[in-house]
Amino acid sequence: MKVQKGLQYTNDHEWVKVEGDVAVIGVADYAQHHLGDIVYVELPEIDDEIEREEAFSAVESVKAAADIYMPVSGKVVAINEELIDDPALLNSDPYENWMIKVEMTNKAELDELMTSEDYEKFLAEEE
């Protein structure tokens, strides 16, 4: 499984890229591989305020449906509309194809996330 350096990760296999006060959020390669080919993506509305660990998205694949959880609390400032039209973009590159951008309301929550090195160790223990 591919783990992109410089990102932060959750136990639920979401990734976060911090750009100032904004968190760019997506689903990790590990989750995409375990779900199989993703065929549907549901995203929140812009201006939705979502708390950490709440589901913000649902994805459906040929194998299963799964909720995607917020790694940090915040207000949705952008959604990747390309995913709604073409959910398969997540299959080709889950790191290039972010899901939402969130203006964080509590940056201290970033401390709860794993570094890419910690996430690699976490995945090794999960296997």
Side-chain angles (χ1 to χ4, degrees):
M1 301 299 147
K2 184 177 162 188
V3 175
Q4 188 159 324
K5 303 287 182 199
L7 301 179
Q8 293 178 278
Y9 295 87
T10 68
N11 292 353
D12 295 320
H13 309 290
E14 291 87 12
W15 60 261
V16 176
K17 179 180 176 185
V18 177
E19 297 177 342
D21 291 334
V22 173
V24 182
I25 299 168
V27 63
D29 189 51
Y30 179 91
Q32 188 282 321
H33 272 86
H34 279 75
L35 285 167
D37 288 338
I38 294 172
V39 295
Y40 174 78
V41 175
E42 179 183 298
L43 295 174
E45 300 288 324
I46 291 178
D47 289 334
D48 281 356
E49 294 195 21
I50 307 171
E51 294 294 317
R52 179 174 175 249
E53 299 183 348
E54 276 185 57
F56 73 87
S57 171
V59 297
E60 291 181 21
S61 71
V62 293
K63 290 182 183 174
D67 287 332
I68 309 297
Y69 297 96
M70 284 291 278
V72 292
S73 303
K75 183 172 85 173
V76 178
V77 294
I79 60 172
N80 188 347
E81 294 187 18
E82 290 180 20
L83 293 180
I84 295 169
D85 296 334
D86 188 5
L89 290 170
L90 288 176
N91 303 324
S92 59
D93 191 341
Y95 295 112
E96 182 68 29
N97 295 291
W98 54 275
M99 299 177 81
I100 62 172
K101 294 183 179 182
V102 174
E103 187 176 279
M104 293 179 280
T105 54
N106 183 0
K107 288 180 85 171
E109 292 173 343
L110 292 170
D111 296 339
E112 304 295 319
L113 303 177
M114 291 182 273
T115 65
S116 56
E117 292 79 13
D118 292 339
Y119 184 62
E120 286 175 331
K121 291 176 192 166
F122 175 76
L123 292 180
E125 293 170 5
E126 289 238 315
E127 293 293 315

